[in-house]
Amino acid sequence: MPAAMVIGLVLHASHRARFAAAARTLSGVTLARAVYEHEDEIRDRVAGLLRAGRLDGLLLGPVPYARSRDLLPPELPVAVTRSAALDLALAWARARGNGWPATPVSIDTFARETVDEVATALELDREAIASLPFEPEQPVADVVAFHRAHLARTGAPYVISVRTGVAAALAGEVAVLPALPTPGTIRADLHELALRIRHRHADGLRFAAGVFLAAEPAQRAGLRELLRTAPELADAWIDDRGPRGVLVLAPAALFAAATRQWVDLPLLAAARESLGVRVVAGFGQGDSARLCVTLAERAAARAEQDRGPGAYLISGGMVIGPIGAAGPPLAYAYREHGALEALAGRAGLSPATLSRLAAIERRLAGRPVTPGELARSLGITDPSGRRLIRKLSGSRLAVPDGSAQPYRRGRPTRLYRLAITAALEEAA
């Protein structure tokens, strides 16, 4: 029976019940908690959680993430749970329930666009609302000073805050309405993180191919023996590939481990030291064994163009490399789509993101998607998915294509069809 997924939670001591309620519907998951009372304790708590045992993922708020992001392993899936527009609207509802006017008021941590969205929906005077978006390096004292300055100008009866330190500092001075993530918001982020982890595990079980090239038959025989005895490739299938190459088929996760997450390739250094020859490699990940091998051969041909030993990976339409301790840092190349960088710049996106979107478009085969579906495919939040769709639409890389109503209640959700491939072909 497979081991349960382990997700770490970093939370304030006062939020235990909120996180417990959010996790009730999550099955097959073990939760490991790092609980803090004050923000200066966060780094030690997170470091202890990482040392305590295996984590498959980590869920934490923006403040814990800002305080500990340099401690987090790059391969660890991380989700940052943030208060949503609904959480802000509920805080305003509590204010009205207390008999207080909706404005004037000061609000911290929320993005200005979220404040604008909720204020517009509730028909509030935006000019009477002061907002201070979250800044990773901003101390609690600065946030408290922002609220006090607004209170001095307006005499507002309350403030809205997401920071527990702010509530503690203003206690006795003014009412502080918390706009913390509700259990529903946390639950959505927790389920999304668990889904990302499951998809990652499933991707790791997919097969990938590696093609290692050596010039002479004797060298190739020595290379084949080296690969067969390498502990990293103990479960791989190894055979000759043409007159110059050795083919390796293995689970993609095994290759990722052997290459230290596609950044360093100790096997190439070992081949150079034991065989005294230059060895290059290419890796391919695709939807079939045949495609994996084809991509691996193309990647190996690309590696041959470099002077030193190295390797490249082709996956999802993207060429990644060079890989190798002796080479430069990991870089991304887009040999197949010369116009991709220009198109990404036009949309205000990174080339890596646009390449992933192009791969998603090919998988959809013309089927329209909702912003939420696109967000889940990329492993980002729904608000980020909506912002991404706005960028794509503004650059004509996504076009509206009807609407859908997945639930009986609520407004229909707009559908969009990606148009990245057509734009690349037009540019070419």
Side-chain angles (χ1 to χ4, degrees):
M1 184 174 178
M5 181 190 303
V6 181
I7 294 180
L9 302 178
V10 183
L11 61 145
H12 190 270
S14 63
H15 301 162
R16 283 190 179 98
R18 191 180 298 263
F19 276 78
R24 283 193 191 116
T25 60
L26 198 63
S27 61
V29 175
T30 298
L31 299 176
R33 295 172 178 81
V35 182
Y36 65 93
E37 291 276 359
H38 305 286
E39 290 184 8
D40 56 7
E41 301 171 348
I42 290 173
R43 285 183 64 83
D44 287 342
R45 299 290 189 271
V46 172
L49 183 63
L50 294 172
R51 287 194 303 268
R54 173 182 67 87
L55 287 181
D56 295 300
L58 185 68
L59 180 74
L60 69 178
V63 173
Y65 179 70
R67 298 286 186 272
S68 63
R69 62 185 302 174
D70 60 309
L71 303 177
L72 305 179
E75 68 275 7
L76 180 68
V78 173
V80 181
T81 186
R82 294 179 171 87
S83 297
L86 174 61
D87 305 319
L88 178 56
L90 290 173
W92 257 313
R94 286 194 294 273
R96 289 185 167 175
N98 291 337
W100 299 328
T103 59
V105 67
S106 53
I107 303 169
D108 67 56
T109 304
F110 283 93
R112 286 194 173 91
E113 63 182 28
T114 303
V115 176
D116 290 342
E117 178 186 345
V118 179
T120 300
L122 298 178
E123 299 181 344
L124 304 181
D125 179 8
R126 185 63 182 85
E127 298 299 320
I129 302 170
S131 62
L132 182 69
F134 177 73
E135 291 291 341
E137 304 303 323
Q138 193 167 48
V140 171
D142 288 358
V143 184
V144 172
F146 155 75
H147 285 296
R148 283 178 174 152
H150 186 263
L151 291 168
R153 288 195 307 271
T154 65
Y158 70 100
V159 304
I160 296 177
S161 178
V162 180
R163 307 283 289 270
T164 52
V166 170
L170 294 177
E173 293 182 38
V174 66
V176 179
L177 290 183
L180 299 166
T182 62
T185 299
I186 299 170
R187 182 180 301 116
D189 291 335
L190 196 53
H191 279 259
E192 182 182 4
L193 176 60
L195 189 62
R196 278 171 50 201
I197 295 169
R198 289 192 179 103
H199 285 168
R200 183 187 178 113
H201 288 174
D203 286 343
L205 294 175
R206 294 173 59 202
F207 268 71
V211 172
F212 295 78
L213 298 181
E216 301 296 331
Q219 296 168 349
R220 190 167 65 255
L223 176 60
R224 187 169 58 249
E225 186 61 25
L226 174 69
L227 294 172
R228 281 178 174 159
T229 57
E232 302 96 331
L233 301 178
D235 296 324
W237 181 80
I238 300 172
D239 203 352
D240 284 337
R241 183 66 177 177
R244 295 192 307 118
V246 177
L247 171 67
V248 180
L249 275 173
L254 186 149
F255 273 131
T259 59
R260 299 177 188 170
Q261 301 299 320
W262 305 112
V263 174
D264 186 18
L265 193 59
L267 288 171
L268 292 185
R272 186 173 66 253
E273 292 173 6
S274 61
L275 302 176
V277 297
R278 172 179 179 256
V279 177
V280 300
F283 300 100
Q285 287 180 279
D287 295 331
S288 66
R290 178 179 293 180
L291 180 58
C292 288
V293 174
T294 300
L295 295 178
E297 289 175 332
R298 290 170 59 187
R302 173 65 184 85
E304 279 192 298
Q305 298 173 23
D306 295 342
R307 290 185 178 180
Y312 283 80
L313 161 70
I314 299 181
S315 177
M318 186 164 59
V319 182
I320 302 173
I323 303 168
L330 186 69
Y332 294 86
Y334 302 91
R335 304 296 177 190
E336 299 176 19
H337 302 304
L340 193 141
E341 291 91 341
L343 213 59
R346 190 179 89 192
L349 301 170
S350 70
T353 297
L354 195 60
S355 181
R356 291 179 65 192
L357 287 167
I360 291 170
E361 180 186 354
R362 289 193 294 273
R363 209 162 55 234
L364 291 170
R367 181 176 69 83
V369 293
T370 66
E373 281 183 273
L374 194 61
R376 286 188 290 278
S377 296
L378 290 168
I380 59 178
T381 63
D382 280 3
S384 297
R386 290 192 292 271
R387 287 193 292 272
L388 177 60
I389 280 289
R390 286 197 291 270
K391 284 187 175 183
L392 294 172
S393 299
S395 304
R396 301 189 303 280
L397 299 178
V399 294
D401 194 0
S403 61
Q405 189 162 8
Y407 305 106
R408 297 178 67 180
R409 295 183 179 181
R411 292 183 298 178
T413 301
R414 199 160 201 182
L415 294 169
Y416 293 84
R417 182 169 42 80
L418 297 179
I420 299 166
T421 302
L424 287 169
E425 290 173 352
E426 182 181 346

